[in-house]
Amino acid sequence: MRTEPNAASNAPDLILFGGQFTTLDRQNPTATAVAIRGVVFTAVGREEDVMALAGASTTRVDLRGRRVLPGLIDNHLHIIRGGLNYNMELRWDGIRSLADAMTMLKQQVGVTPPPQWVRVVGGFTEHQFIEKRLPTIEELNAVAPDTPVFVLHLYDRALLNAAALRVVGYTKDTPQPPGGEIVRDANGTPTGLILAKPNANILYATLAKGPKLPFDYQVNSTRHFMRELNRLGLTGAIDAGGGSQNYPEDYAVIEKLAKDDEITVRLAYNLFTQKPNQEKEDFLSWTQSSKYKDGNDYFRHNGAGEMLVYSAADFEDFRQQRPEMPPEMEGDLEAVIRILAQNRWPWRLHATYDETISRALDVFEKVHQDVPLTGLNWFFDHAETISDESIERIAALGGGIAIQHRMAYQGEYFVQRYGRGAAETTPPITRMIQKGVRVSAGTDATRVSSYNPWVCISWLVTGRTVGGLQIYPNRNCLDRETALRMWTENVTWFSNELGKKGQIAVGQFADLMVPSKDYFSCAEHDISFITSELTMVGGRIVFSGGEFAHLDDNPPPPPMPAWSPVAKFGGYGAWSEVAHLDNYDCSCSHRCQVHGHSHARAWSAPIPTSLLQSFWGTLGCSCWAF
């Protein structure tokens, strides 16, 4: 058993026993019990040894043989922006049929008062629907003739119903935006379809025209978003800034929660430049007014990015041709990197394509000659088409690569444009690991991929998109332990917290989760359906459900406003709406006569076309109808 020095003189506050702990500590990989005092693990080992440390006031929790994992950490989550808006958003994340999605939309329209909008803001793809399509504008108008509806699909398009078009003011006379398109009919009238070509600024700008929540409501919204993340086993994240997220104004809510000790997801945040052609001024100002690592273990500064200069932003809309970065990219980027390196600020840089990455590396290597980058935990985000040569250059400079599961949502589009062969190593995950570069995983939620970490972990292990397309061969898939490390200990280098969290180990923060299914023994197609039944951050239970529901000491107040989609549907997979159903592990509102709500196995298997008539009829299976 591993224990804290002098632990015998201080009884633990809490002991969890009777569990199957996967610690990820290579010196002590498994345990059956842990002791916690304050915010850290003080003993990790055999149940009989740990229980002997208990005092009269020690709380004991029997895990009844359940698997226990370190708390998950997202390397790229727009949690601050997402929290401000979460209570206003109808989430289609995890919904398996467009019919169900439209039913949700119609129900939400019925309770949303004017002048509010109904917004579906990312986290889904048309390929997850059994219908394999998006709703039409006519369908949106039918369910919402008077209430504005805005539906954002990835970063490629937005759908607006007629009421939303009236509110945002797009008419025949509205000029086409740079890098985008307002689609029009034969008479020049906007249809309600807005395209990124490939710049997503028109999507941002249109969404920004909608009403915002008052400050107190934003506080409530952020608490509910963190609660939803805790429900999925998330205990930490690195916030990547984001478009339309202004510093310091939009950070007031999270700062209040930090001050009030109400943050339940450890958060390291990066500063995202605000306006084109003012990037150098932003970072000159911020490096004087802010200090790297300012804050505490729940909320602290983590450097610059993911946007450093707008001339280096290669948007990842795989429906469009790869954008060419302008010739001024290197000069703009060098000016900012020199400021950051001189002030010893790490950075992260959004980069989808190797063409962008290689040019950025030219800049980094040039700056390194004058201002060594040694010891700075800088990294690229995304890196879908990165080359072996660029991976090696990153490793040589001591940088890292933060990947996200955007291909799980856009893989079909990538295959259509570049072919299945190119998609097999997009991104080349196993090659990154083999070449010794620092690499970790995350989501890039909430506007592109879903925030559900288990969807990403499933993608890493199975190589499948959420639409079921097998894009990766086995050689580019990860075993389950490696995938878990990508979401735990590996992330800590990217926030400069090595040894502080990411493992269940003595002296590390007591952050853990008890998955609803045993991650190491459940079927591959069940991984994406995992949730948490007990989540702890710093020894505090921040979420509990199932057989541990009675331990919950962190219930949030009711969602504000009362008409919030969160009140009825919860979050991922509309879990609140279907939570009353027995043995559900899907997000649909219908039972199958054969499988009930356990559709995962049917969805992941091929349709038995040779028995098609009996499959739909005699056997009574309707999983594929959703």
Side-chain angles (χ1 to χ4, degrees):
M1 177 180 69
R2 291 181 177 263
T3 61
E4 185 182 56
N6 301 317
S9 61
N10 295 287
D13 301 317
L14 174 68
I15 289 177
L16 304 178
F17 67 96
Q20 300 180 61
F21 290 81
T22 298
T23 70
L24 298 184
D25 178 357
R26 290 177 172 83
Q27 304 302 313
N28 188 36
T30 61
T32 55
V34 299
I36 299 167
R37 187 172 66 253
V39 299
V40 300
F41 295 111
T42 55
V44 178
R46 296 187 306 168
E47 181 176 322
E48 53 267 39
D49 296 329
V50 175
M51 291 296 284
L53 303 174
S57 62
T58 300
T59 300
R60 302 164 178 82
V61 175
D62 185 354
L63 297 176
R64 303 172 190 176
R66 302 295 295 277
R67 176 73 60 184
V68 187
L69 306 175
L72 304 180
I73 310 167
D74 193 325
N75 73 13
H76 187 128
L77 177 62
H78 296 278
I79 187 172
I80 295 174
R81 182 181 67 191
L84 299 180
N85 300 288
Y86 180 69
N87 279 4
M88 291 193 296
E89 295 175 355
L90 178 67
R91 305 303 305 182
W92 283 354
D93 309 39
I95 303 302
R96 297 304 301 256
S97 81
L98 179 60
D100 280 348
M102 292 300 290
T103 297
M104 293 169 61
L105 181 64
K106 183 176 182 179
Q107 291 177 1
Q108 187 57 42
V109 166
V111 298
T112 301
Q116 296 294 334
W117 299 11
V118 177
R119 310 169 215 222
V120 181
V121 185
F124 78 101
T125 170
E126 63 180 332
H127 295 288
Q128 77 192 41
F129 298 145
I130 193 66
E131 298 92 340
K132 301 296 182 184
R133 69 174 181 89
L134 293 173
T136 65
I137 302 296
E138 291 73 20
E139 287 170 330
L140 295 182
N141 287 330
V143 300
D146 302 309
T147 303
V149 171
F150 176 97
V151 178
L152 176 68
H153 181 253
L154 308 173
Y155 269 148
D156 66 28
R157 64 196 55 215
L159 306 175
L160 284 73
N161 68 343
L165 274 178
R166 291 193 295 269
V167 170
V168 300
Y170 294 160
T171 68
K172 286 184 178 181
D173 300 323
T174 303
Q176 290 289 19
E181 180 184 355
I182 299 172
V183 177
R184 304 167 193 269
D185 64 17
N187 298 317
T189 302
T191 64
L193 176 62
I194 301 172
L195 301 177
K197 284 192 151 182
N199 191 312
N201 287 342
I202 181 59
L203 308 182
Y204 280 132
T206 306
L207 180 59
K209 293 176 181 288
K212 294 184 178 181
L213 292 173
F215 183 84
D216 288 349
Y217 286 39
Q218 289 178 333
V219 172
N220 177 280
S221 177
T222 302
R223 284 197 62 186
H224 276 275
F225 187 34
M226 290 190 294
R227 172 76 167 186
E228 167 72 349
L229 297 171
N230 295 150
R231 184 183 72 87
L232 297 167
L234 203 78
T235 61
I238 308 177
D239 184 273
S244 305
Q245 181 174 319
N246 299 311
Y247 180 82
E249 296 84 356
D250 289 332
Y251 290 68
V253 166
I254 198 73
E255 287 175 349
K256 173 178 171 52
L257 290 170
K259 180 180 178 181
D260 295 345
D261 194 27
E262 291 183 339
I263 286 183
T264 61
V265 176
R266 298 186 190 277
L267 186 61
Y269 65 92
N270 286 70
L271 293 183
F272 185 111
T273 191
Q274 308 283 281
K275 295 179 180 178
N277 303 316
Q278 295 183 19
E279 300 97 332
K280 182 178 178 180
E281 289 72 19
D282 279 341
F283 290 111
L284 277 171
S285 173
W286 291 340
T287 51
Q288 297 304 309
S289 62
S290 299
K291 186 179 179 182
Y292 171 52
K293 290 189 178 181
D294 266 356
N296 56 36
D297 293 318
Y298 287 87
F299 179 62
R300 67 176 187 81
H301 182 260
N302 195 55
E306 66 178 291
M307 184 77 80
L308 297 179
V309 295
Y310 281 83
S311 56
D314 63 349
F315 294 99
E316 75 290 350
D317 183 356
F318 297 136
R319 285 182 162 181
Q320 303 293 328
Q321 291 284 352
R322 175 181 62 82
E324 291 287 347
M325 298 299 95
E328 64 268 23
M329 170 187 156
E330 282 83 353
D332 293 346
L333 188 57
E334 181 181 345
V336 168
I337 294 300
R338 286 191 179 277
I339 293 169
L340 298 176
Q342 289 164 358
N343 286 276
R344 309 310 293 167
W345 272 34
W347 66 85
R348 63 191 311 161
L349 179 62
H350 165 108
T352 302
Y353 299 98
D354 188 62
E355 289 81 356
T356 307
I357 294 169
S358 61
R359 289 176 63 180
L361 284 169
D362 291 341
V363 173
F364 298 172
E365 289 166 347
K366 180 180 178 181
V367 172
H368 179 66
Q369 298 303 312
D370 304 321
V371 187
L373 306 185
T374 307
L376 286 181
N377 294 26
W378 62 269
F379 54 96
F380 286 101
D381 275 303
H382 316 313
E384 274 86 0
T385 71
I386 191 170
S387 65
D388 284 359
E389 179 184 1
S390 291
I391 295 172
E392 291 166 357
R393 292 172 70 187
I394 293 170
L397 270 181
I401 304 172
I403 64 167
Q404 294 81 39
H405 67 320
R406 303 190 307 182
M407 282 289 286
Y409 290 81
Q410 302 183 79
E412 286 86 354
Y413 303 131
F414 190 94
V415 168
Q416 288 168 13
R417 178 167 292 278
Y418 299 107
R420 295 189 70 101
E424 287 183 351
T425 53
T426 302
I429 304 168
T430 54
R431 289 214 301 268
M432 295 175 186
I433 296 171
Q434 290 164 1
K435 289 181 178 294
V437 71
R438 301 276 190 173
V439 59
S440 64
T443 62
D444 196 12
T446 57
R447 292 183 176 177
V448 179
S449 309
S450 175
Y451 53 75
N452 187 338
W454 296 102
V455 177
C456 179
I457 293 172
S458 175
W459 166 75
L460 291 170
V461 171
T462 68
R464 289 181 179 271
T465 69
V466 295
L469 178 65
Q470 183 75 49
I471 53 175
Y472 303 142
N474 287 338
R475 67 177 183 276
N476 201 39
C477 296
L478 303 182
D479 63 83
R480 298 192 193 198
E481 180 176 324
T482 301
L484 181 61
R485 290 185 187 276
M486 292 272 282
W487 267 88
T488 51
E489 65 171 1
N490 286 19
V491 187
T492 63
W493 179 88
F494 293 76
S495 59
N496 209 346
E497 295 175 290
L498 283 171
K500 298 184 72 173
K501 61 184 184 180
Q503 299 174 333
I504 299 175
V506 170
Q508 292 203 19
F509 292 132
D511 302 348
L512 58 77
M513 59 94 60
V514 177
S516 56
K517 301 178 182 182
D518 189 333
Y519 167 63
F520 285 102
S521 64
C522 71
E524 280 190 351
H525 51 244
D526 284 335
I527 293 174
S528 67
F529 293 96
I530 290 175
T531 59
S532 178
E533 294 198 351
L534 181 69
T535 305
M536 300 186 68
V537 177
R540 176 189 177 193
I541 297 173
V542 295
F543 178 83
S544 61
E547 60 186 304
F548 303 110
H550 64 285
L551 299 174
D552 193 351
D553 67 352
N554 185 50
M560 299 166 60
W563 53 264
S564 167
V566 174
K568 180 175 180 61
F569 299 108
Y572 183 89
W575 67 267
S576 184
E577 174 71 358
V578 299
H580 65 283
L581 300 168
D582 293 334
N583 299 319
Y584 80 96
D585 64 354
C586 69
S587 56
C588 73
S589 57
H590 311 286
R591 289 184 63 88
C592 166
Q593 296 302 312
V594 175
H595 300 105
H597 283 268
S598 299
H599 307 299
R601 190 164 288 105
W603 284 335
S604 63
I607 298 177
T609 52
S610 62
L611 299 173
L612 191 59
Q613 184 175 1
S614 61
F615 183 74
W616 289 94
T618 305
L619 295 180
C621 176
S622 58
C623 289
W624 287 92
F626 300 149

